Amino acid sequence: MTNSLFQPYDLGLLTLANRIVMAPLTRNRAAAGLVPGPFAAEYYAQRATAGLIIAEATQISPQAQGYQDTPGIYSAEQVAGWRVITEAVHAKGGRIFLQLWHVGRVSHVDLQPGGAAPVAPSAIAAGTKTFVNNTFTETSMPRALLAEEIPAIVEDFSTAAANAIAAGFDGVEIHGANGYLLDQFAKDGANQRTDAYGGSVQNRARLMLEVAAAVSAKIGAARTGIRISPVSPANGVSCSDPQPQFDYIVDGLSKLGLVYLHVVEGATGGARDVAPFDFAGLRRRFGGTYIANNGYDLTLATAHLAAGEADLIAFGRPFIANPDLVARLQSGAALAPIDPATLYGGGAKGYTDYPALAV
Ligand code: 8OZ
């Protein structure tokens, strides 16, 4: 029987060569001005046989940054830098979206404009670490956003989406996962607001849905995807009611006609069964494409596609050391291991020097 993992797939305006997605991976190699670094075009082009690349989390504004040397998409220089990358990937026949993020409270005063406190739904520390000043450091105490500051953040997302299209991306993925700003608003452990953005399921969903509406209005729903992680405790978030919360969010996203829903199933980079949750139910609620992520290997990916539990499968860490991951999965070749020392920061080493298998 043919494995549908290696069959083409129509995603909105695009035809993908296969159902393997390269998940966004933070590599902290941006250059001056937080323009994507000199090796990034080669790095992404080496991985262009993925059906779809989702490029690394990229800040929508200076305030949105939470880690050292992550790229942005708010300046003309950054747009020009990303254009080199999208052209390199397209020249190899690849497809590429950009992940747009605002980290919220997962930041440090040394990364914020004017040394200000990071912003969050509520003044509750993330209690996690970030990478800044070349070391892992406790995140700073955030301040609660004023309600009147929120429209500018929504606009920063839609402007960043327009910039991504101007840079040649095929679309964008809104980062609604992993304990960053939109996930902080959605989850009551981080959101204690008493205004229209906190309290009820509807209010906690409001910011994520406003961002999704603004971005899809700007660049088209067929170019707009989103990533969520309903039960992940990543970066210190917790949610007392993830099922109704994310059922409601996904209903809203489905109404907007977003092209895909990318779901981190379980704890990000960890256990898939961290908490009970009906992911199949989310998939049924959503009218578009469902991308499954978290701990997939060839066996699990094949099984979930065959059972109709996903349309596309995102692989993250395996893409770091295996630029030709698609070919290796297809041929059953062994996968190369990651060098943990070169994951975050540095140059070509551990970035563009992982070889493809000789053919
Ligand atoms: C690893 C290191 C830094 C950031 C995420 C963007 O978890 C990230 C991230 C991952 O979504």
Side-chain angles (χ1 to χ4, degrees), residues 44 52-53 55 85-86 89-90 94-98 168-171:
Y44 282 114
L52 177 68
I53 293 171
I85 292 160
T86 61
V89 169
H90 288 150
R95 305 293 196 179
I96 184 166
F97 273 42
L98 181 64
F169 283 98
D170 297 302

Side-chain angles (χ1 to χ4, degrees), residues 1 6 14 26 34 126 144 161 167 201 236 239 265 272 300 302 307 311 316 340 355:
M1 205 181 93
F6 305 106
L14 307 173
T26 290
L34 303 177
V201 157
C239 190
E265 298 169 336
R272 290 182 52 80
L300 195 61
T302 304
D311 300 299

Side-chain angles (χ1 to χ4, degrees), residues 26-29 317 320 338-345 350-351 354:
T26 290
R27 306 302 308 273
N28 307 78
R29 281 165 165 85
R317 293 166 68 101
I320 292 175
I338 287 175
D339 168 17
T342 52
L343 281 178
Y344 306 118
Y351 192 50
Y354 288 111

Side-chain angles (χ1 to χ4, degrees), residues 66-68 108 110-111 130-138:
Y67 302 80
Q68 163 183 334
H108 189 276
D110 288 352
L111 292 166
T130 180
F131 188 67
V132 58
N133 303 323
N134 295 314
T135 174
F136 285 93
T137 308
E138 192 74 16

